[in-house]
């Protein structure tokens, strides 16, 4: 979730029509953001080698997924995610984002997150507080004898201050140039993460066990998901 979320906060893509509000979230604030966003974008479809089990584990453990991505892709070292409650996280991208995220809806194919925080871009020329909803639709695809996970992220950003709302719309072409680089970097990191978990789960587990910043409960959850035969993790 976290890598895609950070990408979405900077994502480029074509403008899309909002989904059925009744099918996305019951939370009133979430519905309002989707209905009246300042910016609305769909990120081009993301595909990774891996199955539903791998995807569900990673999106269900945002702090651990972010730690793994940071280790595998050093350019992400500035990203941090901390769980502060059930389905509630703080997120920080030094110099670009600081705020909190809350999981508001989970189904078999969809996860919806609400964000609130401070956004910065264009060397701090554009700095504002806002709220965002990220909708992640996902599916497992079998093709050419391999299993893939595909995700179609959509995000809705709302800036409540009229002046910054106007500025954000005015600077959209420039913001999109920065966005393309950010999305590419995060997509590369996420791809490395999936490859490592799918290709060598035992080796990654042994390496994780030496990291002091990994929580014991996250390490045990990974072991049960990918290492023990009972979990189907031995490959």
């Amino acid at each position: 979730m976290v890598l895609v979320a950070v990408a979405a906060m900077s994502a480029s893509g074509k403008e899309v029509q909002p989904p059925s509000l009744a099918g996305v979230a019951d939370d009133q604030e979430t519905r309002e953001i989707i209905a009246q966003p300042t910016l609305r974008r769909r990120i081009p479809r993301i595909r990774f080698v891996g199955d539903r089990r791998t995807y569900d584990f990673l999106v269900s453990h945002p702090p651990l997924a972010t730690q793994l991505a940071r280790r595998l892709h050093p350019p992400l070292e500035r990203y941090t995610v901390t769980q502060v409650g059930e389905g509630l996280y703080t997120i920080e991208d030094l110099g670009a984002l600081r705020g909190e995220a809350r999981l508001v809806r989970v189904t078999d194919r969809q996860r919806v997150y609400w964000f609130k925080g401070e956004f910065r871009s264009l060397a701090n020329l554009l700095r504002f507080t806002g709220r965002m909803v990220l909708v992640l639709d996902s599916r497992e695809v079998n093709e050419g004898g391999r299993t893939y996970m595909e995700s179609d992220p959509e995000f809705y950003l709302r800036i409540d201050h009229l002046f910054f709302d106007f500025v954000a719309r005015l600077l959209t072409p420039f913001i999109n140039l920065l966005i393309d680089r950010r999305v590419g970097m995060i997509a590369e990191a996420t791809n490395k993460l999936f490859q490592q978990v799918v290709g060598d789960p035992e080796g990654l587990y042994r390496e994780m066990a030496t990291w002091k910043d990994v929580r014991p409960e996250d390490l045990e959850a990974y072991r049960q998901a990918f290492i023990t035969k009972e979990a189907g993790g031995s490959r």
Side-chain angles (χ1 to χ4, degrees), residues 99-124:
E100 64 180 32
R102 174 166 50 91
L103 179 63
V104 297
R105 175 182 169 88
V106 179
T107 68
D108 290 341
R109 293 175 57 93
Q110 187 182 81
R111 300 175 75 90
V112 180
Y113 297 91
W114 167 93
F115 298 86
K116 181 178 181 179
E118 181 181 59
F119 302 80
R120 305 174 189 174
S121 189
L122 297 177
N124 284 332

Side-chain angles (χ1 to χ4, degrees), residues 50-189:
D51 56 16
R52 168 67 64 179
R53 181 169 61 92
T54 302
Y55 177 88
D56 285 345
F57 177 85
L58 293 174
V59 297
S60 299
H61 296 81
L64 178 61
T66 305
Q67 287 175 319
L68 292 173
R70 289 168 59 190
R71 297 274 185 168
L72 296 172
H73 196 66
L76 289 181
E77 289 180 352
R78 63 186 184 178
Y79 294 97
T80 60
V81 176
T82 304
Q83 185 167 357
V84 295
E86 185 66 29
L88 183 63
Y89 309 89
T90 59
I91 299 177
E92 184 168 359
D93 168 10
L94 297 180
L97 166 72
R98 180 183 293 108
E100 64 180 32
R102 174 166 50 91
L103 179 63
V104 297
R105 175 182 169 88
V106 179
T107 68
D108 290 341
R109 293 175 57 93
Q110 187 182 81
R111 300 175 75 90
V112 180
Y113 297 91
W114 167 93
F115 298 86
K116 181 178 181 179
E118 181 181 59
F119 302 80
R120 305 174 189 174
S121 189
L122 297 177
N124 284 332
L125 292 178
L126 181 62
R127 179 175 178 176
F128 58 88
T129 57
R131 295 170 292 160
M132 190 189 82
V133 172
L134 172 66
V135 181
L136 287 176
D137 289 317
S138 62
R139 70 197 61 79
E140 186 176 272
V141 177
N142 294 307
E143 186 177 296
R146 305 193 72 174
T147 301
Y148 301 88
M149 283 301 301
E150 291 184 342
S151 180
D152 294 307
E154 296 180 16
F155 83 94
Y156 305 81
L157 174 64
R158 180 165 174 173
I159 305 172
D160 295 315
H161 193 288
L162 290 178
F163 173 74
F164 288 110
D165 178 281
F166 170 76
V167 171
R169 295 176 190 271
L170 184 65
L171 294 178
T172 295
F174 300 99
I175 295 173
N176 284 344
L177 294 176
L178 300 177
I179 282 171
D180 290 341
R181 293 198 298 265
R182 174 86 45 97
V183 171
M185 178 183 67
I186 292 176
E188 181 180 354

Side-chain angles (χ1 to χ4, degrees), residues 8 16-21 24 30 32-42 113 115 131-135 153-158:
V16 296
Q17 295 299 315
S20 169
L21 298 184
V24 172
T30 299
E32 290 176 355
I33 296 170
I34 291 175
Q36 296 181 317
T38 301
L39 298 174
R40 181 176 68 238
R41 292 288 186 273
R42 173 182 294 152
Y113 297 91
F115 298 86
R131 295 170 292 160
M132 190 189 82
V133 172
L134 172 66
V135 181
E154 296 180 16
F155 83 94
Y156 305 81
L157 174 64
R158 180 165 174 173

Side-chain angles (χ1 to χ4, degrees), residues 217-229:
E217 56 267 37
D218 286 338
L219 187 64
E220 176 60 17
Y222 179 93
R223 185 189 69 81
Q224 292 186 14
F226 300 108
I227 305 302
T228 62
K229 293 182 180 180

